[in-house]
């Protein structure tokens, strides 16, 4: 099952050239980029691991792409995403975020139904990938 | 609060130029004018006095990049030229100034994408402890991408006397990026000649990866005078005729003294002359006109210790 989160996730995976264009767009707007990776695909997992520090003062996308490739090399089968942060007063939020790498095989999620009080049914998402311990999931 | 759209504006369609047929003729002068390099080269000629070998080499580099561009339009493939440079020369010969111009020039010729200059020294590249150097160097390299990385006093990266120095690590990372990411940045090393020679002999990989070794000659007295006049003009000062003589004499004497730093010494001399000039005006008459405010007199120079055989 293909994970769709962040921007562009319903498109085919972006090529490096397309990623470079997106980074250039972010940098032209003055948004510093940062890179994060994880092997826990749950949609509510918002705390991904940071790859290095956010990259301030860059002028050219080549620098971001360099770090991106370093991260891909270190974690060849993790999810890797790129954040662009808009620090302007009044905005101060992630302005753009998209996946730049995903594992070759994504096992998907199980929907767990739980019967609780008064015949209510609660639903939980459980990623098959997280059955295995961290670091051995993909 | 600024407004922002949900999607970025449509990217402009990439200009895909048709390859020219084999018998086509390209107007090289037109190409040259269109690239806008002529402005930079002319400004270089006008603002920088002397430095003939440097200017020649820069013109050659500009010509090479231009010709490469025209060749590409015919579909003749050329590898990206190696444009890493090494500027060697005495103190105050204009290495940093030329590097700034070089960044602008390479940008106009389309060799680097942004054309900014990141100027660093040993402190910015080499860390204090194990594992500190690599991220520091990489940080600097990332910042310089798309532009020019100017490493001042590059010989200080390598310290032969201390074998636990981390400078070697920085050099290794630098070499790797210089070799593999030629299209992303141009590295310019600068330093004094003898020390740079020692640096290259202990790092043979570095010397061979740099295509352009440009030597900055020391200025002659006449050139220094010309430089001084340009500096004065840019700050709105003029010399009285006697002051010109004093200034010439000053430069001649200063050249002979230790720690002479070419244009930098001239700049310092002018700074001090301005100080004396200001002091003289404040001490002297109450009423001054434009000519008093802008004219330096011989006494402003002759008060210098240089004339008594001192160092400054």
């Amino acid at each position: 099952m293909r994970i769709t989160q962040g921007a562009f996730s319903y498109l085919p995976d972006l090529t490096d050239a397309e990623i470079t264009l997106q980074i250039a767009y972010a940098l032209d707007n003055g948004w510093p980029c940062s890179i994060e990776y994880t092997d826990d695909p749950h949609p509510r997992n918002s705390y991904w691991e940071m790859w290095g520090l956010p990259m301030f003062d860059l002028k050219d996308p080549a620098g971001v792409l360099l770090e991106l490739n370093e991260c891909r090399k270190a974690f060849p089968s993790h999810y890797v995403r790129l954040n662009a942060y808009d620090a302007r007063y009044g905005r101060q939020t992630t302005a753009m975020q998209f996946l730049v790498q995903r594992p070759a095989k994504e096992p998907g999620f199980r929907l767990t139904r739980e019967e609780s009080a008064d015949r209510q049914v609660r639903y939980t998402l459980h990623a098959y990938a997280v059955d295995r311990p961290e670091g051995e999931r993909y | 609060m600024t407004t922002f759209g949900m999607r970025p504006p449509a990217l402009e369609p990439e200009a895909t130029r048709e390859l020219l047929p084999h018998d086509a003729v390209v107007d090289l002068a037109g190409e040259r004018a269109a690239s806008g390099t002529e402005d930079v080269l002319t400004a270089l000629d006008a603002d920088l006095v002397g430095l003939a070998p440097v200017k020649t080499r820069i013109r050659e580099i500009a010509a090479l990049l231009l010709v490469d561009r025209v060749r590409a339009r015919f579909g003749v493939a050329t590898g990206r030229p190696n444009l890493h440079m090494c500027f060697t020369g005495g103190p105050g010969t204009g290495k940093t100034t030329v590097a700034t111009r070089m960044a602008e020039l390479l940008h106009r010729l389309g060799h680097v994408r942004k054309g900014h200059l990141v100027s660093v020294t040993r402190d910015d590249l080499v860390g204090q402890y194990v594992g500190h150097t690599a991220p520091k160097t990489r940080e600097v390299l990332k910042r310089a991408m798309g532009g020019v990385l100017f490493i001042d006093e590059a010989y200080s990266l390598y310290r032969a006397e201390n074998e636990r120095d981390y400078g070697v690590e920085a050099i290794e990372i630098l070499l790797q990026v210089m070799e593999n990411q030629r299209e992303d940045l141009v590295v310019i090393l600068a330093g004094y000649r003898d020390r740079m020679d020692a640096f290259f002999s202990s790092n043979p990989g570095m010397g061979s990866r740099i295509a352009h070794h440009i030597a900055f000659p020391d200025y002659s007295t006449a050139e220094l005078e010309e430089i001084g006049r340009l500096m004065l003009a840019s700050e709105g000062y003029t010399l009285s005729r006697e002051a010109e003589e004093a200034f010439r004499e000053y430069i001649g004497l200063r050249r002979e003294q230790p720690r002479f730093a070419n244009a930098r010494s001239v700049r310092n001399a002018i700074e001090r002359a301005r100080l004396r000039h200001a002091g003289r005006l404040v001490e002297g008459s109450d009423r001054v006109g434009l000519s008093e405010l802008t004219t330096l007199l011989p006494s402003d120079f002759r008060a210098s210790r240089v004339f008594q055989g001192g160092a400054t």
Side-chain angles (χ1 to χ4, degrees), chain A residues 21-22 25 28 55-60 62-63 66-67 70 88 90-91, chain B residues 1-2 4 7-9 11 113-114 116 138-139 142-143 145-146 181 184:
Chain A
L21 284 175
Q22 292 300 336
Y25 176 75
D28 285 348
M55 287 166 268
F56 301 103
D57 303 327
L58 292 201
K59 294 232 168 37
D60 192 83
L66 179 85
E67 285 296 324
E70 289 288 317
R88 274 179 308 177
R91 188 116 190 258
Chain B
M1 180 82 194
T2 41
F4 59 96
R7 61 176 67 194
L11 292 159
R113 285 183 297 265
K114 302 280 166 178
H116 57 287
R138 277 238 304 274
E139 187 66 34
K142 272 187 294 182
R143 253 193 306 135
M145 279 188 181
Q181 295 188 283
D184 288 330

Side-chain angles (χ1 to χ4, degrees), chain B residues 11-19 73:
Chain B
L11 292 159
E12 281 175 27
E14 214 158 284
T16 44
R17 273 168 116 176
E18 289 276 303
L19 284 187
R73 287 180 57 192

